[in-house]
Amino acid sequence: MKNNQKTLVVPLIIIGSMFAVLGFALGINAFFVPFVKDAFNISITMSYLVMTATFLSFVVFGVPSGAIIKKFGYKRAMIIAFIIMATGFYLIAPAAAIASFPLLLLALFVSGMGQALLTGAVNTYVTILGPEESAASRISLMGICNKTFFAAASLMLAVFIDLSNVQITDVILPFYIISGALIVMGVLYYFAPLPEIKAIGEEENSDNSEISVYANSKTSIFQFPHLLLGVVAIFFDIGLEYIALGTINDYATILNLPSPENYVWFVSAGMVIGYLFGVLFIPKIVSQSTALLLSTVSGVVITIVIVTVPPEISIYLVALLGLANALMWPAIWPLAIADLGKFTKMGSSLLVTGIIGGAFLPLLFGYIADMAFHQVAYTVCLPAYIFIMYYALYGNKIRTK
């Protein structure tokens, strides 16, 4: 789709607000980790199941979300996503009323289904809304909205919930409010001026472009190795993001630091700074793949430093992981869906399944933290950064005849 800058402004503002909602929805998990540990008197490992419940739905609902986007288009799929998310968050209230941890996990799983659908729709929409080479810059701009509201979730929930005096029933009112707000937003987005668009080569009768010829020579989404490797890269990327974002509050709690619910702001601030670099420098100074490579190198160095310095210093270095992680998602997504043509929507849904990394890596982190200490647990980041480094150098360039 070819657009000038003026025609992009309104759609980007609308989609930016949806990225903010996604950030807020996932930010709830970061707040819940230390909350459920005290509310249900469970282990660190068990408390990280709140992330597992949310991100598991990305695998279960990832492929169906692609079918929904293909059938209803991007805009209607986004509205359906808001309804599903509202349903999930509504269920948190009865889970709190009867103090049921399994029902709470189910509620987060349902909400995660809506987040999976919305994630696939908005990221692909932003990618194909303008020039391919500047897609990472647009997604970086969206990331600023996302991570700002990720951190804001802890701040807003802290108005209703005190982590130093946990009462499970305190979550009832705020989640009724959140559920109602999502329904209202879904209705407003229905009337929003958001044009339906298609990627290059996505039209069924499009067979002249080089991209169309390449995509049309395939019979299955699984014949694109750069996409499949991109799914693995997304798996590790999301795991890395939510190890940093989802553990720092808990780390601060373990270290008995004041106002532990506010430490997520350090990671979010690091990510926002990274996104700003993406907006300013991609593709003017660095390419998407180069930005991805630099991010992974930074991540490896920072992780090594985190596990070697004193804990009271290392917690602030976790914020630098936010800076290292910021440009990975904006770079991986457009690199992975490049040249998919008519398979673009299904490709985006397959990428969404990779978000399950946000369930497994933090859970592994929690297990190591239980067995050893939080600081040692950050070593799980190293193999993840190394794989994404491979994808930046070679994996995203693989094409088959």
Side-chain angles (χ1 to χ4, degrees), residues 40-361:
F40 295 99
N41 193 27
I42 55 179
S43 68
I44 297 173
T45 304
M46 288 290 290
S47 70
Y48 279 93
L49 285 175
V50 301
M51 289 191 177
T52 303
T54 298
F55 289 113
L56 183 62
S57 61
F58 282 76
V59 170
V60 174
F61 204 64
V63 174
S65 70
I68 292 173
I69 296 171
K70 187 172 183 178
K71 180 175 178 60
F72 294 101
Y74 293 106
K75 181 177 179 179
R76 288 186 176 87
M78 294 169 191
I79 295 166
I80 294 171
F82 271 82
I83 296 172
I84 298 173
M85 289 168 61
T87 302
F89 285 135
Y90 180 86
L91 290 174
I92 289 178
I98 63 174
S100 172
F101 188 52
L103 182 56
L104 175 66
L105 295 179
L106 175 63
L108 293 172
F109 179 85
V110 173
S111 170
M113 290 169 59
Q115 293 170 49
L117 177 56
L118 187 59
T119 298
V122 295
N123 279 278
T124 303
Y125 191 94
V126 170
T127 298
I128 65 179
L129 187 62
E132 179 182 334
E133 64 275 10
S134 60
S137 177
R138 291 190 297 279
I139 297 178
S140 294
L141 187 61
M142 299 297 101
I144 294 173
C145 303
N146 184 273
K147 292 308 180 290
T148 299
F149 276 82
F150 184 102
S154 288
L155 183 64
M156 294 178 186
L157 287 175
V159 173
F160 300 92
I161 305 166
D162 183 2
L163 287 181
S164 63
N165 182 28
V166 171
Q167 301 293 326
I168 185 64
T169 53
D170 287 347
V171 305
I172 295 176
L173 177 59
F175 280 93
Y176 276 145
I177 295 172
I178 291 169
S179 179
L182 289 173
I183 292 293
V184 172
M185 293 178 74
V187 172
L188 294 176
Y189 285 131
Y190 179 81
F191 297 101
L194 205 60
E196 192 62 41
I197 58 178
K198 292 182 181 293
I200 297 174
E202 196 174 355
E203 295 282 1
E204 295 295 333
N205 60 354
S206 176
D207 57 6
N208 294 323
S209 72
E210 185 177 340
I211 292 175
S212 298
V213 171
Y214 175 71
N216 289 340
S217 68
K218 312 300 179 187
T219 58
S220 169
I221 195 66
F222 298 103
Q223 294 175 327
F224 297 88
H226 74 287
L227 170 67
L228 301 180
L229 290 171
V231 173
V232 181
I234 288 288
F235 176 93
F236 286 120
D237 168 42
I238 297 302
L240 289 166
E241 280 195 25
Y242 289 99
I243 281 177
L245 288 163
T247 66
I248 193 168
N249 283 357
D250 196 31
Y251 194 12
T253 303
I254 293 295
L255 295 177
N256 294 315
L257 297 175
S259 303
E261 70 276 3
N262 292 329
Y263 276 78
V264 69
W265 280 99
F266 291 113
V267 182
S268 292
M271 295 199 76
V272 168
I273 292 170
Y275 289 137
L276 288 173
F277 281 126
V279 172
L280 295 173
F281 300 135
I282 300 176
K284 301 180 187 71
I285 297 177
V286 296
S287 66
Q288 294 171 153
S289 57
T290 300
L292 183 58
L293 177 61
L294 293 173
S295 295
T296 57
V297 171
S298 300
V300 168
V301 173
I302 294 167
T303 300
I304 293 172
V305 176
I306 284 174
V307 299
T308 55
V309 301
E312 60 272 17
I313 297 174
S314 71
I315 189 170
Y316 296 103
L317 293 174
V318 175
L320 290 181
L321 284 183
L323 179 62
N325 295 342
L327 293 183
M328 292 199 297
W329 174 282
I332 293 171
W333 193 280
L335 290 172
I337 68 168
D339 302 342
L340 296 188
K342 63 183 181 181
F343 292 98
T344 300
K345 288 186 174 72
M346 290 307 298
S348 67
S349 69
L350 196 62
L351 279 178
V352 165
T353 64
I355 296 175
I356 188 65
F360 286 108
L361 266 66

